[in-house]
Amino acid sequence: MSVVVGPLLTAAEYLAIERAAESRSEFHDGVMYAMAGGTHRHSRLKSSCMVALGLRLRGKKCQPTDSDMRVLVPATGLYTYPVSVSFAVRQNLRTSSRIASSIPP
């Protein structure tokens, strides 16, 4: 089975499409990948991870973000929605829950 891939997107094109979309997708090497919907078990696991990370990082300069925050991994060019810990610039965190942020590789 072969997969037909159209023209590759730039990161700017992906971000424009993603901001207007009703569903989320990941982006890597010029290709958008649709994200599957979550399950109840996955949601509980994500919530538990966020609570544990939040407690562990209390008073630290870094902070956890859940999968509502799109993250750019500069070393790979991957845009994704993970549960992550970042040293995000505070001014970016006030603008939108769907901004592109970056984390160290």
Side-chain angles (χ1 to χ4, degrees):
M1 180 169 132
S2 63
V3 176
V4 178
V5 177
L8 298 179
L9 298 171
T10 66
E13 290 169 328
Y14 158 73
L15 291 171
I17 293 167
E18 177 74 1
R19 286 184 184 114
E22 291 186 23
S23 59
R24 295 187 289 182
S25 59
E26 293 182 315
F27 175 79
H28 190 251
D29 287 339
V31 180
M32 285 180 70
Y33 299 93
M35 294 178 64
T39 63
H40 180 62
R41 181 176 183 215
H42 180 267
S43 179
R44 286 184 14 237
L45 178 62
K46 180 183 93 167
S47 297
S48 295
C49 287
M50 287 301 300
V51 168
L53 285 170
L55 291 172
R56 182 77 170 131
L57 296 171
R58 184 170 285 165
K60 309 282 188 210
K61 291 184 179 182
C62 53
Q63 52 195 299
T65 56
D66 70 7
S67 59
D68 289 337
M69 175 69 77
R70 179 179 40 240
V71 174
L72 166 62
V73 182
T76 64
L78 173 67
Y79 282 89
T80 188
Y81 289 88
V83 169
S84 61
V85 176
S86 66
F87 293 92
V89 178
R90 278 211 164 297
Q91 65 192 31
N92 288 344
L93 297 177
R94 285 183 278 210
T95 59
S96 170
S97 63
R98 296 203 54 183
I99 62 168
S101 181
S102 61
I103 59 175

